[in-house]
Amino acid sequence: MWKYRLCLGLSESFSVPYEEQLKLIKAAGFDAYFFNWDRNLMESVTEAGKEQGLILQSIHAPFGKSADFW
């Protein structure tokens, strides 16, 4: 399993800014991250992730009831 990259999600639920969460994710040994779509934050979060050397693995869909799809 050592060949796989580990990914962790950002959350608005924490009282920690996304940029700080990304630093913590990197420090904890993760390689990638994902977060919920927010048009206003896309560029800043992507740039902050690049600064930490992290991969943006995925973005959750920007619409309600997306789970109903399944």
Side-chain angles (χ1 to χ4, degrees):
M1 183 152 163
W2 54 271
K3 293 181 181 181
Y4 293 96
R5 296 183 184 264
L6 297 175
C7 179
L8 193 63
L10 302 177
S11 177
E12 295 174 337
S13 300
F14 307 132
S15 60
V16 178
Y18 282 154
E19 290 79 8
E20 187 63 25
Q21 289 182 48
L22 290 165
K23 290 177 184 178
L24 294 169
I25 287 170
K26 180 68 175 186
F30 290 89
D31 300 309
Y33 67 100
F34 63 92
F35 74 108
N36 292 327
W37 172 259
D38 184 329
R39 183 176 310 220
N40 299 320
L41 296 174
M42 184 63 196
E43 187 174 340
S44 64
V45 170
T46 302
E47 285 303 314
K50 285 180 184 178
E51 288 175 8
Q52 295 301 316
L54 294 169
I55 298 165
L56 174 56
Q57 190 269 337
S58 64
I59 301 171
H60 283 265
F63 45 85
K65 299 187 179 184
S66 60
D68 294 347
F69 177 76
W70 303 109

